[in-house]
Amino acid sequence: NFGPGVAERNELRYSDLVRVRPDLVMISMPAAGGGGPLAKVRTYGNALASLTGLDSLTGYGPGDVIPFEQPMADAHNAMLGAFAVLAALEQRRRTGEGQWIEQSQQEGLSHLIAPAWLDYMLNGRVGDPLGNRHPLGQAVPHGVFPVAGADQWIAIVVEEDAEWRALADAIGEPWAKQDRYATHAGRLADQAALQSKLADWTRPQVGRALCERLQARGVAATPLLDMPSLSNDPHFRARETFVELTNPQGFRETVYAPFVKMSRSRMRARPGPMLGQDNERVLKGWLGIDEARYAELVEKQVIY
């Protein structure tokens, strides 16, 4: 997680390391790549969402931009980088040759704006935030709607006219039976009013029970789970998605269990490492640092 230039100053570049390990596979993930005007820029995940144009497309509607709140660039680029390394390792297995991978995190994230980019390049249209509306208008209603409780919501999506008829029957109110809502074109033309009326209908109802009723009618609906809902969700409980462990500091904590299940390999959850937990094993054992040098590093707080 070094900034630009640190690897060079510490002689940890690929050109330095490959002299020691000729078949080395190494990946570098600079924010904007190794060349160009932004080669030395330092970023965090949230900043990358701005540099790639994603932030211009998120918000409640035109002129109401709300940037990404979570640094999704971190996890997204980690997955891309992992696949790149696996491909390079397979190449080494076949040829015996290693290689250096340079992955621009900005470019890795930017392909998520491909539809808006193509729309601009081909049609000259500049994308705006759409809130929860379907980006191509293929589903109406399409969004999240309030239900009973503090900040509780469900998602409802209707693509086909038959799905709307099923939803209208569940609503059972005259407005839902109006002819203008019977077709996709009519619902799309009056989308704002339609979704406002739908929100008024869902607001006093219990979210999970309502979703189950709608699903039984063939309407796509699901609760939006918050943290308490996640921990009590019957599906996650059945899957043992969250498990309780004893932290090395002595307290009990709930963590994500491994979400990859394997038929032959046993996956297990464990607490994160304590600060400096593996220092002696790595520095003394693997690297052969003697006791005096190790004590000096501790005294200077190079290691803890």
Side-chain angles (χ1 to χ4, degrees):
N1 206 27
F2 296 140
V6 175
E8 289 82 352
R9 291 195 298 273
N10 288 279
E11 297 184 354
L12 293 174
R13 296 166 296 186
Y14 178 77
S15 58
D16 299 315
L17 301 178
V18 75
R19 293 198 296 267
V20 179
R21 177 70 185 259
D23 64 347
L24 173 69
V25 169
M26 176 176 173
I27 183 169
S28 300
M29 299 173 64
L38 294 180
K40 299 299 182 183
V41 71
R42 300 184 183 198
T43 65
Y44 292 95
N46 290 3
L48 284 165
S50 294
L51 283 172
T52 56
L54 277 173
D55 281 347
S56 72
L57 301 174
T58 58
Y60 288 115
D64 189 11
V65 174
I66 300 177
F68 270 83
E69 193 169 307
Q70 298 295 329
M72 62 172 294
D74 295 351
H76 180 82
N77 281 296
M79 289 186 288
L80 295 180
F83 278 113
V85 169
L86 288 172
L89 290 173
E90 174 62 16
Q91 176 73 5
R92 185 173 73 182
R93 187 187 68 82
R94 296 182 180 187
T95 67
E97 298 178 352
Q99 58 185 301
W100 178 35
I101 304 162
E102 184 208 86
Q103 179 188 327
S104 163
Q105 294 192 52
Q106 179 186 26
E107 293 168 23
L109 192 64
S110 64
H111 77 270
L112 296 181
I113 67 163
W117 171 258
L118 288 173
D119 193 24
Y120 173 71
M121 296 301 294
L122 296 175
N123 303 312
R125 289 192 292 257
V126 178
D128 282 316
L130 296 175
N132 291 309
R133 289 176 293 161
H134 192 285
L136 300 178
Q138 292 177 348
V140 184
H142 182 283
V144 295
F145 301 89
V147 290
D151 201 23
Q152 298 297 300
W153 304 79
I154 65 172
I156 298 176
V157 174
V158 170
E159 291 188 277
E160 305 293 337
D161 292 342
E163 295 170 355
W164 170 255
R165 290 192 294 271
L167 177 57
D169 288 341
I171 294 170
E173 296 182 8
W175 68 264
K177 301 290 187 178
Q178 295 179 41
D179 291 342
R180 58 177 169 169
Y181 295 147
T183 66
H184 175 269
R187 294 192 298 275
L188 185 61
D190 200 32
Q191 181 174 192
L194 168 60
Q195 302 212 151
S196 177
K197 293 173 182 176
L198 180 57
D200 290 338
W201 177 73
T202 62
R203 187 171 284 109
Q205 305 198 50
V206 177
R208 186 176 292 275
L210 176 57
C211 288
E212 290 174 353
R213 295 204 310 273
L214 294 180
Q215 290 170 11
R217 292 174 176 267
V219 178
T222 183
L224 269 67
L225 302 181
D226 55 16
M227 295 305 106
S229 302
L230 281 172
S231 61
N232 295 306
D233 183 79
H235 180 77
F236 286 135
R237 283 189 176 274
R239 295 280 297 172
E240 297 182 336
T241 302
F242 305 101
V243 295
E244 191 176 74
L245 304 173
T246 299
N247 187 278
Q249 299 178 73
F251 59 85
R252 299 287 288 174
E253 62 177 338
T254 300
V255 301
Y256 281 106
F259 53 85
V260 174
K261 315 293 184 184
M262 296 187 175
S263 62
R264 297 178 59 185
S265 301
R266 180 175 176 268
M267 308 297 288
R268 66 185 181 92
R270 58 184 178 182
M274 298 286 289
L275 181 64
Q277 174 177 303
D278 299 306
N279 282 355
E280 291 198 14
R281 180 169 63 92
V282 174
L283 297 176
K284 292 182 181 179
W286 293 0
L287 300 183
I289 292 179
D290 60 39
E291 189 65 44
R293 177 58 173 159
Y294 185 87
E296 180 187 356
L297 292 174
V298 171
E299 182 181 357
K300 293 181 177 179
Q301 296 186 340
V302 175
I303 58 176
Y304 291 85

